[in-house]
Amino acid sequence: MGPRILGVMANLPDHERQLEEDAAQLQRLGYAQQLLRGMGGFSNFAVSFSIISILTGAVTLYGHGLRFGGPFVMGVGWPLVAVMTLAVAASLAQLASSFPTAGALYHWAAMLGGPRVGFFTAWLNTLGQFAITAGIDYGLAEFLADMLGWPRERASVLPLYAAILLSHAVLNHVGVRVVAWLNDFSAWYHVAGVAVLIGALALFAPKQDAAFLLTRFSSETPWYAYGFLIGLLQAQWTFTGYDASAHISEETRDPTRNAPWGIFLSVAVSAVAGYLLLGAVTLAIQDLPTTAAAANPFLYVLTQALGPSLGGALVWVAIGAMWFCGLSSVTSNSRMLFAFARDNGLPASKWLAQVSPRFRSPAVAVWVSVAGSGLVALWAEAYAAMVALSTLALYASYALPVWVGLRARRAGTWSHRGPWDLGRASPWVNGVALTWSAVVMVLFVLPPNQLAGYTFAGALVLLGLYWGFFQRHTFTGPQVTLLRPPASRATSAAPSSPSSG
């Protein structure tokens, strides 16, 4: 940037100067500033925290974890998954700090590993985001049906599901500023909701001894170790979607710092709050086999321990959190689609990359995101299949950029570092992240999640054919690439200082 422009920027107020620096940084990565950049650090964190939503994942899959692995899944499985997920989050955070674009994972993979890796990363992330929104909103629809006294048959749940999706689409289309405010509110709502739930259970519910959290129980399989591993889906699905902080980088001020902290802190805070919540709920169980056999074990525990009135009121608190979670999920999904279409990676890319001139939102991508999520729910009758598919696809899309980033770092083709970096710990943290992602790939294709496994495998085959026959010679990915010798890339790749003007 020339001295004259630097001089002009120096005279701007701090807020405007930061916006100018962020726009200039994005331009050096190959893109113009199109989306409204109105989010601060807390707003960025709030989006990922809301998508993780311990009042969604840990609650809607509470029965799954309890039936397969019992209290031991809550007491030991949750912290195990949380620690492993922190390695994945830290690995993604350092990438987000170096390359803050809405394409996020797929941009990092393409810049560091080439267009083919970027292409598969983008499609896997897109598939995962369709499935995660479906899992969130369908789980919410089931809880609503339970609370309204409706049957859980799909004929009753699908209309509720469609109405929920519609509400999220409309808000994301017309209310970018409202959605940002709602995401901030959602973070505080989750914190308050968890505190109220834990407080009510601590004060009014009968409680088991703490050792009850080590109880091994499975009503689904005679092989407990297998049941425990399958039960980890409860925690692992909860810890998905935190890449949202990276997808909204182009709407976040000072994204090289705020986006990586949003990724990492959303997982860390959710890990602690979720463990306290699950511990409080599980210790309130009085009859374990009866609870596991209930249609909705979470609802059963609360109404039995606290009475129908208070217990039911707290379930409505969780339902509110689920709605906020779905709203944030559509926000993240639409930004991923927008960025991929902007690089001509999707059919009808020109159409999908349109930004509403009035609302400054990727309007078409919002509605396609919702339509894709609707199709996922129609495809999978089993709720666990939706969440297993989203977990598989998302963790595959997380692993690819971490893998090529590790290789590029060793080769010296990724010498640029953002302010959020793991330093010498990077290789082993990346190694833990990749190992855990591989474990996830294996665990959640095993019975009873075969449908997710077959669908995931089929998607890979179709993507391979699509790449080989259509996109191999036309898709170039992001305009900036780091695949060049270190000596020549120093003057043409990303800037040495991410916050410089």
Side-chain angles (χ1 to χ4, degrees):
M1 183 174 293
R4 182 178 299 176
I5 298 176
L6 285 173
V8 172
M9 288 179 60
N11 294 324
L12 293 173
D14 289 345
H15 173 76
E16 292 184 22
R17 184 166 61 249
Q18 183 65 61
L19 292 178
E20 292 289 341
E21 290 176 356
D22 294 340
Q25 181 184 63
L26 182 61
Q27 188 172 21
R28 289 195 297 272
L29 289 169
Y31 301 101
Q33 182 71 51
Q34 292 178 279
L35 302 175
L36 179 66
R37 195 180 287 271
M39 294 187 181
F42 182 79
S43 296
N44 184 282
F45 158 82
V47 172
S48 285
F49 185 65
S50 296
I51 294 178
I52 290 175
S53 182
I54 54 177
L55 288 172
T56 300
V59 169
T60 57
L61 283 181
Y62 185 80
H64 176 88
L66 192 67
R67 293 184 184 108
F68 275 94
F72 197 70
V73 163
M74 320 298 169
V76 175
W78 179 274
L80 169 65
V81 170
V83 170
M84 295 296 109
T85 303
L86 278 171
V88 181
S91 298
L92 296 180
Q94 69 175 356
L95 286 159
S97 186
S98 293
F99 315 112
T101 68
L105 305 158
Y106 119 74
H107 277 180
W108 313 334
M111 288 177 183
L112 298 167
R116 180 175 59 178
V117 183
F119 174 84
F120 279 91
T121 301
W123 272 102
L124 289 170
N125 194 255
T126 298
L127 176 61
Q129 296 224 30
F130 285 159
I132 195 174
T133 302
I136 293 164
D137 282 0
Y138 196 88
L140 168 55
E142 286 189 330
F143 262 74
L144 275 174
D146 290 338
M147 293 301 291
L148 294 172
W150 295 8
R152 269 205 173 200
E153 282 78 12
R154 285 169 67 79
S156 300
V157 174
L158 282 173
L160 289 172
Y161 174 66
I164 294 164
L165 279 178
L166 180 63
S167 70
H168 292 154
V170 170
L171 273 172
N172 272 283
H173 182 161
V174 306
V176 173
R177 294 184 186 277
V178 174
V179 168
W181 181 86
L182 285 173
N183 283 323
D184 287 358
F185 177 74
S186 171
W188 292 113
Y189 182 94
H190 275 78
V191 170
V194 169
V196 169
L197 266 166
I198 294 172
L201 290 166
L203 291 173
F204 305 117
K207 288 172 281 295
Q208 300 274 5
D209 293 334
F212 183 69
L213 290 174
L214 302 179
T215 302
R216 302 184 181 192
F217 167 87
S218 180
S219 60
E220 300 295 322
T221 174
W223 300 288
Y224 179 75
Y226 184 81
F228 171 78
L229 292 173
I230 298 300
L232 293 180
L233 179 62
Q234 178 202 15
Q236 196 61 72
W237 182 64
T238 304
F239 290 117
T240 53
Y242 45 88
D243 54 311
S245 287
H247 290 300
I248 58 171
S249 290
E250 294 180 29
E251 297 162 80
T252 301
R253 296 186 295 274
D254 195 9
T256 57
R257 293 175 175 81
N258 288 328
W261 276 118
I263 292 170
F264 188 80
L265 288 178
S266 63
V267 174
V269 174
S270 297
V272 175
Y275 191 64
L276 294 174
L277 172 66
L278 288 175
V281 174
T282 304
L283 292 177
I285 294 174
Q286 296 304 298
D287 186 329
L288 183 54
T290 302
T291 302
N296 188 328
F298 182 84
L299 175 60
Y300 182 84
V301 171
L302 261 61
T303 53
Q304 290 295 307
L306 301 172
S309 297
L310 180 56
L314 292 177
V315 172
W316 280 109
V317 170
I319 284 174
M322 295 175 199
W323 185 88
F324 284 121
C325 178
L327 179 71
S328 298
S329 183
V330 172
T331 303
S332 176
N333 192 349
S334 60
R335 272 51 175 183
M336 172 63 211
L337 275 180
F338 163 77
F340 196 21
R342 185 173 58 182
D343 289 328
N344 295 311
L346 291 165
S349 285
K350 184 177 180 181
W351 182 57
L352 281 164
Q354 291 179 3
V355 174
S356 167
R358 179 180 177 185
F359 300 111
R360 301 284 301 276
S361 66
V364 178
V366 167
W367 288 98
V368 172
S369 300
V370 167
S373 300
L375 290 175
V376 170
L378 292 175
W379 154 84
E381 292 191 12
Y383 180 66
M386 293 183 214
V387 299
L389 176 63
S390 66
T391 305
L392 288 170
L394 286 174
Y395 272 84
S397 74
Y398 296 170
L400 284 171
V402 173
W403 172 57
V404 295
L406 179 60
R407 289 196 315 168
R409 196 163 181 138
R410 287 175 174 172
T413 53
W414 176 22
S415 59
H416 161 63
R417 301 286 187 273
W420 206 106
D421 188 68
L422 294 170
R424 294 181 179 179
S426 182
W428 70 263
V429 174
N430 294 167
V432 172
L434 291 171
T435 301
W436 183 248
S437 297
V439 170
V440 170
M441 296 294 102
V442 174
L443 279 185
F444 303 133
V445 300
L446 300 176
N449 299 316
Q450 312 96 299
L451 178 60
Y454 296 147
T455 304
F456 185 64
L460 289 177
V461 171
L462 290 175
L463 288 177
L465 293 173
Y466 184 46
W467 170 260
F469 287 105
F470 297 101
Q471 293 282 53
R472 184 161 59 102
H473 300 295
T474 59
F475 178 70
T476 58
Q479 299 175 39
V480 174
T481 179
L482 303 184
L483 289 179
R484 58 193 65 172
S488 64
R489 68 167 290 281
T491 59
S492 54
S496 59
S497 174
S499 59
S500 66

